[in-house]
Amino acid sequence: MPVSDPSPGFPLLPTAPAPSTPLGPFEDSAVAWTTWVTLIGFVGLTALALVVAGPAARRAGAAALTATTVRLARAAVVLGALAVPAVLTDLAHGASQSGGYDYGAAWNGLYDGSNDGRLSGLEVTLILAGAALVAPLTVRRTAAGPARRWLLAAGLGAGAVALGTTKFPDKAPDDWGRTVFETAMWMLHLIGGSVWLGGLAGLALIALPGAVAPAARGAFWPPALRRFSAAAMSCVAAIALSGLFLYWEHVDGPGQLVSTMYGRVLGVKILVFGALLLLGAFNQFWLHPRLEGLRAAGDLRPLRTVLVREFPAVVAVETLLGAAVLFVAPFLHGSARNQAYQARLAEHAGGAAALGDLPKLPAKEVSTSTWVWGTAETLAVLAVMAAGYWLSGVLARRRTATAVPLAEEDLVEA
């Protein structure tokens, strides 16, 4: 998107080193990280069970469907239950006047009549309701029954809205159009990250022994990975597009990625996200086509080797990188635009003023060129994602077509 710098002129006063923007207390970010991990993990695991693992497990048999559903549901319920004290701890830390934790004030603040109280109350209520809806699926009989899909869908809906309350506006906006668009971008960012990162953690759980029987792995994993690839690429597109909008809104050019604290933290987040993309490309263009070829050849031994050694290791690294992204995100305070603007004001004022006491820039104005650039970026991201998914499918079909079936004695030996 086009870059603009609407900063007004500065008075010609003696200069001094501008104060640096604080990174923020580590404790605050650690508490926020716990909240994000539990909320995003619940949504991601539930979405994986509903959209990816369930349809793939049906092909592998009823036992695989039951086992994968129970494992993912148990992990989702644990995260949903942990999200409640995590959210309350975050609220208690913010409510404390001494920097500690005032749980009484946090609890009394839920549904206290203010918009903040309503949103906080909905966050706690809905994530608890989502965990309660998924809880019956931790029992094998219910996980194999017809209610499985409806319980997962209802739990996912409750968890997604609970996650969204963290970014819903807490007062009536002056510009409804812009606020609705910003909220939609945040929802794309959060839901996309949840399905992708939470799904990676879920795949790592399913890859552990006991979820899918060895005889069913060949029927389960290729379609499961193909489905997850489609979901993950859609999530990457959503994250990229919403991230570009947030970058345009908070950063005035690449120079602020190194000159402001917000930009440096965002730069670290972008680097970690880039590493995640590289690992995802490795899965998409090498590991998944290889699994398709092994399955077509009936090669159970190498397939098991790939699943046990290579695939879980890559997914575990991706999950850790995803957790790192969530850990870095709470350090993003304010915006690079305001930090650069206030630093220049403080510098020209002799460095005497604190950054928090200085004025802030108004929000960027949306122009025709903004929509043109935004539309072009959207089309480009969608084209790249679609081309990548198509190319990985071509590679998988080529490996399947060139696979040489094993002899019967080789299968018996495997």
Side-chain angles (χ1 to χ4, degrees):
M1 290 185 178
V3 175
S4 61
D5 186 5
S7 306
F10 301 102
L12 298 176
L13 298 175
T15 60
S20 60
T21 303
L23 187 61
F26 177 85
E27 182 182 6
D28 293 358
S29 296
V31 171
W33 178 81
T34 305
T35 304
W36 287 118
V37 166
T38 51
L39 290 173
I40 284 176
F42 176 84
V43 172
L45 290 175
T46 309
L48 182 75
L50 179 65
V51 179
V52 176
R58 285 193 183 91
R59 300 184 179 184
L65 177 62
T66 301
T68 54
T69 300
V70 168
R71 179 167 292 189
L72 292 175
R74 288 174 178 173
V77 168
V78 169
L79 288 176
L82 290 176
V84 175
V87 171
L88 288 175
T89 299
D90 196 9
L91 294 174
H93 193 48
S96 175
Q97 301 295 327
S98 60
Y101 298 89
D102 190 344
Y103 285 96
W107 180 260
N108 293 331
L110 303 180
Y111 299 111
D112 63 354
S114 66
N115 289 331
D116 279 337
R118 294 187 189 96
L119 290 175
S120 299
L122 284 174
E123 185 179 0
V124 172
T125 302
L126 289 174
I127 192 61
L128 191 59
L133 287 167
V134 177
L137 299 177
T138 60
V139 180
R140 299 183 69 87
R141 179 179 297 180
T142 309
R148 173 191 171 278
R149 184 180 300 174
W150 296 105
L151 290 173
L152 286 174
L156 176 60
V161 177
L163 184 63
T165 58
T166 61
K167 295 299 180 182
F168 290 166
D170 58 1
K171 60 181 180 180
D174 296 328
D175 186 345
W176 275 97
R178 184 181 184 118
T179 301
V180 169
F181 188 80
E182 288 177 350
T183 304
M185 290 297 100
W186 272 116
M187 291 300 294
L188 279 178
H189 213 65
L190 294 176
I191 301 296
S194 299
V195 175
W196 184 24
L197 301 179
L200 286 172
L203 289 179
L205 282 176
I206 299 174
L208 295 175
V212 182
R217 289 174 184 170
F220 172 78
W221 279 108
L225 294 178
R226 195 66 184 158
R227 278 181 165 271
F228 181 73
S229 295
M233 295 192 78
S234 300
C235 292
V236 168
I239 294 170
L241 291 174
S242 56
L244 285 170
F245 169 77
L246 296 172
Y247 174 89
W248 169 82
E249 193 173 43
H250 294 291
V251 183
D252 275 335
Q256 290 185 356
L257 292 177
V258 294
S259 63
T260 66
M261 182 58 71
Y262 183 98
R264 290 191 285 271
V265 174
L266 180 61
V268 172
K269 184 181 177 183
I270 291 173
L271 289 176
V272 179
F273 180 74
L276 269 170
L277 286 181
L278 290 177
L279 284 175
F282 170 79
N283 284 337
Q284 188 76 15
F285 297 109
W286 186 85
L287 184 57
H288 298 178
R290 182 180 177 186
L291 288 177
E292 293 282 358
L294 292 173
R295 181 193 183 196
D299 192 346
L300 299 179
R301 182 176 52 192
L303 178 60
R304 186 160 56 249
T305 300
V306 170
L307 291 175
V308 172
R309 295 180 182 176
E310 298 182 32
F311 174 69
V314 174
V315 172
V317 172
E318 287 183 284
T319 304
L320 290 175
L321 288 174
V325 170
L326 297 180
F327 183 75
V328 171
F331 287 100
L332 288 170
H333 302 293
S335 75
R337 298 176 65 241
N338 281 320
Q339 288 178 7
Y341 172 55
Q342 291 176 339
R344 290 196 295 269
L345 281 179
E347 180 181 356
H348 287 279
L355 291 181
D357 300 329
L358 294 171
K360 297 181 179 180
L361 289 170
K364 286 185 178 179
E365 294 293 334
V366 179
S367 62
T368 302
S369 64
T370 305
W371 287 108
V372 171
W373 277 94
T375 302
E377 289 168 352
T378 301
L379 295 176
V381 169
L382 294 178
V384 169
M385 294 296 107
Y389 186 74
W390 171 81
L391 179 58
S392 66
V394 170
L395 295 175
R397 288 190 292 271
R398 285 181 180 177
R399 279 191 173 270
T400 301
T402 58
V404 179
L406 296 180
E408 184 176 351
E409 57 271 17
D410 293 332
L411 289 175
V412 172
E413 180 183 352

